[in-house]
Structures are given as structure tokens and as C-alpha cells.
Amino acid sequence: MGEFDLIETYFRWDNVSDDSDDLEGVIIGIGDDAAVLQLESNQQLVTSIDTLISGVHFPEQTPAAAIAHKALSVNLSDIAAMGAEAKWFTLALTLPDVDHAWLKEFSTNLKALAAETSVNLVGGDTTRGSLSISIQVMGTVKNNHALLRSGAKPGDKIFVTGTLGDAAVGLASIQGHLDLSNEDKAFCEARLNYPTARLEDGDAIKEYATSCIDVSDGLLQDLGHILKKSKASAVIDLDKLPLSECLQNLNIDLANKYALSGGDDYELLFTVPAEKQQMFTEKVIKKNPTQITMIGEISNQYAIGAILNSHGINLTGTGYNHFSDDISDNDKSDK
Ligand code: ADP
Ligand code: MG
């Protein structure tokens, strides 16, 4: 099978063709030298790309379904974190060989998530080599309304969607570092392999948020990005960290460490001004299908980037070691 047949068979989906007018903004999709996409005059293009390499970003035995889901989700998550609407994506696929069972599973799952999130595959590239998947997502935002990392102000409340640390616990379980019940194991491993991009939440919060980031590298690290860009510090209430039942079943110190430092959750972390908090609670939090939790406040009292708990202990300084490569080693570390 040649490259062209492969593209036709697996990536030229019924809902993606260059002569259909139900495809929002797709003037030319797959099949020409490049895609042509239509923007409205009051919109800006928001775009992001992420690459997943076998053996680096996912274990070699990861099912094709999970790879497809994760490759698209992590990109959609970046679009959500910008408060943008995801519209189109391109796929650069490097395959070691043409494995039809793998390609069918990959394309079926990619198409399912694309349909669910209303994004259209408009092009890509197919090459031979070690397995690697790059997806570039494009979305739109009203002119100058993108949610940036730089907008947090002292006094703003810090919120997070969903629960934290589940994916890292899932990884620790796969690697044999944690022994979980079958139910907890299934939940956390699904959180790792099938993350949900918080697109609807990004849309719901965009009128209120002053800054936003998606939690891909752990709460402390990603909050640190907001703080550095916003030239601020923060106080976090550890008692408020949203923990799933699975993390609640762990020792509380260990659960907090996963929630603070575990990566791959793809939840949205954002700030809302204190004076908008009540309206935000009424209009968004109470109605939102995904849990949204206030976990702390932006401050100007400490060094830029510093994150303290409510007892004044610096969570990012030495003596509170969250940053071991192997998070399970943290059990033994001093706090
Ligand atoms: P070119 O040689 O001009 O780069 P290609 O042969 O690489 O063209 O691709 C032909 C068409 O198929 C283009 O529209 C391209 O965007 C699309 N395409 C190639 N690979 C993929 C893929 N993996 N998924 C979706 N579209 C693809
Ligand atoms: Mg090409």
C-alpha cells in the first residue's frame, strides 16, 4: 500500500472532504498541497503542536487507541487553556511499517475524538521511521481575548478543574511503584491514557479568568509558569486540593505530593479576580459538569514564582522535595 492509499483509507474521513459545506471554515482540506482555512474578521488564530514519540512519551506497548486519544487531547488541552475554540488539526505520522490493525485502531479512535470535539483533520504528512505522532491543532479566539499566563493579579483566586495527580498515580501503578485496587488502577490508568481536554470548561471560564494554563507538568510547575509570567507569588491551601477517590485512598501526604507534582492531568488551572468570585461561583461553578475548586490566592508578598502553603511553608523551596524524577521516592523524603 502506497502513502496515498494509506491516507485515503485511514485519514480521509467522510466528514472531512474539501467539497462539503458543512465543514466550518475548511475551504480546502486533505488532498491539495496545503489546507486553506477561513477566519472571521474579528478572530485570531490560536495554534499549538505536540509530538508523542514511542518509548519517550508513551510506553511501547500502549494501545493505538490510547496513543490517538492522547495525541489529540494534549493539543486540544492547549487550545482550551487559551480560552479558544478548537477547529482544525493536522497530523504528521511517522510509522515503522504499514500495520493495518494498528492504523485502523488509531484512525478510528482519532476520528471518534475529532467528531466528539468538532475538530476537522485538514492535512498532514506520512513518513517511515520510528513511531512518532505530531498533531498541530488550530483554533480561534475573539481578537485579543486569548487567556494568557501573564494576566494573574495579586488577590485573584486560583481555581482548578477536575482532580489532580490521577495520571501520575496511573503511571506509578503501571510502573509497579504503587499497589492499587483494581478499580483505582483502572480509573488512574484511564486518566493517564485517555485524558479529557477541558474545552467546554475553557469556554465557560473565559469571561472571568485573568490567566490560564493546562496542568501538564504538575500543579506546582504549571502554577509557577503563571507566576513568573504574571510576576507574582501564590498561597495554596493543601486541604482544598481536589483529590479523586483513588488519591483519597492513599496516605494523605503521598496523595498531596502526586496532586502537587504529578504531570499529565490536563486540567485547567486559572485565576479569577476576588470581586468576580461570587458571580463566577453562581454562573459557572454551580452549573459546570466538571468540578471546579478554589485552591488558593495570588499574592505579591513573596518572591516571584514562590508558592507557599497556608502555614507559610514554601512548597517550591528546598526541604520540600517534590521534584525527584521518580515520584515514589518522595515517600521517604523530608518535608
Ligand atoms: P505533499 O507532497 O504536497 O506534502 P503529501 O503527499 O504529503 O503532499 O500529502 C497529500 C495530501 O494528504 C495533503 O493534503 C496532506 O495534507 C495529506 N496528508 C498526508 N498525510 C496525512 C495524514 N497522516 N493525515 C491527514 N492528511 C494527510
Ligand atoms: Mg507531505
Side-chain angles (χ1 to χ4, degrees), residues 145-157:
H145 277 63
L147 288 180
L148 307 182
R149 297 176 177 185
S150 55
K153 296 274 181 303
D156 285 1
K157 304 293 181 186

Side-chain angles (χ1 to χ4, degrees), residues 10-320:
Y10 295 108
F11 298 108
R12 184 138 172 162
W13 302 328
D14 295 338
N15 66 338
V16 177
S17 70
D18 48 16
D19 53 17
S20 157
D21 47 24
D22 59 278
L23 291 173
E24 212 198 335
V26 183
I27 307 299
I28 299 292
I30 292 174
D32 213 304
D33 295 317
V36 179
L37 307 166
Q38 185 70 52
L39 291 176
E40 306 291 325
S41 60
N42 63 343
Q43 289 178 336
Q44 291 169 332
L45 182 69
V46 177
T47 183
S48 170
I49 184 165
D50 270 302
T51 298
L52 299 185
I53 295 170
S54 178
V56 179
H57 301 101
F58 55 88
E60 262 148 44
Q61 70 275 17
T62 307
I67 298 169
H69 187 101
K70 191 154 184 174
L72 184 52
S73 286
V74 299
N75 279 286
L76 292 172
S77 177
D78 283 321
I79 299 293
M82 300 302 286
E85 184 185 347
K87 290 218 169 134
W88 313 291
F89 71 108
T90 57
L91 166 69
L93 199 53
T94 305
L95 300 169
D97 47 36
V98 179
D99 175 342
H100 290 286
W102 190 94
L103 274 161
K104 185 155 192 285
E105 184 180 323
F106 180 86
S107 77
T108 304
N109 283 273
L110 191 67
K111 183 178 171 183
L113 182 60
E116 195 187 307
T117 55
S118 305
V119 289
N120 283 290
L121 178 58
V122 296
D125 196 29
T126 309
T127 52
R128 195 181 282 267
S130 315
L131 180 62
S132 139
I133 301 98
S134 290
I135 286 184
Q136 178 169 37
V137 179
M138 287 151 280
T140 57
V141 72
K142 204 164 96 189
N143 282 347
N144 306 320
H145 277 63
L147 288 180
L148 307 182
R149 297 176 177 185
S150 55
K153 296 274 181 303
D156 285 1
K157 304 293 181 186
I158 303 168
F159 293 86
V160 68
T161 60
T163 53
L164 294 170
D166 303 324
V169 167
L171 183 63
S173 153
I174 288 172
Q175 291 174 338
H177 297 317
L178 275 179
D179 199 12
L180 305 176
S181 71
N182 286 341
E183 199 183 324
D184 286 347
K185 188 172 147 73
F187 171 79
C188 287
E189 292 183 10
R191 288 275 285 156
L192 175 71
N193 282 331
Y194 296 91
T196 305
R198 299 296 187 194
L199 286 163
E200 278 138 27
D201 308 86
D203 187 49
I205 68 167
K206 71 180 186 214
E207 301 296 322
Y208 299 88
T210 49
S211 70
C212 187
I213 191 169
D214 65 325
V215 183
S216 53
D217 296 326
L219 175 70
L220 291 179
Q221 196 155 324
D222 289 316
L223 178 56
H225 292 309
I226 286 186
L227 298 176
K228 274 168 210 131
K229 288 277 183 185
S230 300
K231 301 191 169 48
S233 50
V235 178
I236 294 290
D237 185 348
L238 296 188
D239 295 336
K240 297 224 174 86
L241 292 178
L243 303 179
S244 64
E245 271 181 37
C246 170
L247 267 79
Q248 289 177 34
N249 288 336
L250 300 176
N251 159 300
I252 184 66
D253 289 331
L254 186 60
N256 282 345
K257 283 170 188 170
Y258 280 109
L260 289 171
S261 305
D264 268 359
D265 284 320
Y266 301 101
E267 296 297 346
L268 296 182
L269 174 69
F270 58 99
T271 53
V272 172
E275 65 271 19
K276 289 193 183 168
Q277 188 189 350
Q278 201 182 339
M279 222 213 303
F280 180 64
T281 305
E282 292 301 321
K283 298 240 157 112
V284 180
I285 298 185
K286 285 189 177 167
K287 297 175 186 162
N288 205 52
T290 308
Q291 158 188 0
I292 296 178
T293 312
M294 193 192 77
I295 58 166
E297 191 174 310
I298 299 292
S299 169
N300 56 4
Q301 304 207 2
Y302 311 99
I304 289 173
I307 304 172
L308 285 77
N309 70 13
S310 35
H311 305 293
I313 294 174
N314 193 335
L315 302 175
T316 52
T318 52
Y320 199 97

